[in-house]
Amino acid sequence: MPRVNVPVTTATRAGAALATTTGDATSHHVMINDGRTGIIVKNTGSTVARTVTFRIAQTVDGQAVAPRTATLAAGEQRLFGPFDVNSYGGKLEVDVDHTELTLTPVRMG
């Protein structure tokens, strides 16, 4: 299955409505990455910690580089990024382990 595209909100001085996407633990996600975009990840659950994974696109000496992972406690919300385009690619792949994680990408205008 193709990854689910996550729309990116561009910040403005006038304010912009945030677009939040519910995590898909089967197909996972992809978002445009220009090196100036971050992502707010929230664990909406009330009892269990959940994990988000950011896939690294580059290889070193032909070997895949381990992805960056983070665990969010129940109810926790964190901002990640920006993600270097040379390391993470122009399309950032984001994996979640449960639908209790929501994704809200924000690009600084």
Side-chain angles (χ1 to χ4, degrees):
M1 295 177 108
R3 288 179 173 269
V4 176
N5 184 52
V6 181
V8 176
T9 301
T10 300
T12 67
R13 284 195 248 328
L18 295 174
T20 298
T21 300
T22 300
D24 183 331
T26 303
S27 296
H28 301 293
H29 303 275
V30 65
M31 61 181 247
I32 298 299
N33 178 35
D34 61 1
R36 294 180 16 190
T37 302
I39 185 168
I40 300 165
V41 181
K42 181 175 183 178
N43 180 351
T44 62
S46 60
T47 58
V48 178
R50 300 291 180 197
T51 302
V52 62
T53 301
F54 303 100
R55 301 256 166 229
I56 297 175
Q58 75 177 17
T59 59
V60 175
D61 290 333
Q63 303 296 311
V65 179
R68 174 174 296 281
T69 62
T71 301
L72 285 78
E76 183 178 9
Q77 177 174 269
R78 292 173 59 189
L79 172 61
F80 298 93
F83 299 92
D84 178 62
V85 176
N86 292 324
S87 298
Y88 290 90
K91 292 186 177 183
L92 177 65
E93 293 184 351
V94 182
D95 298 350
V96 298
D97 71 344
H98 199 275
T99 58
E100 288 181 342
L101 290 177
T102 61
L103 309 172
T104 309
V106 178
R107 178 182 184 273
M108 298 313 293

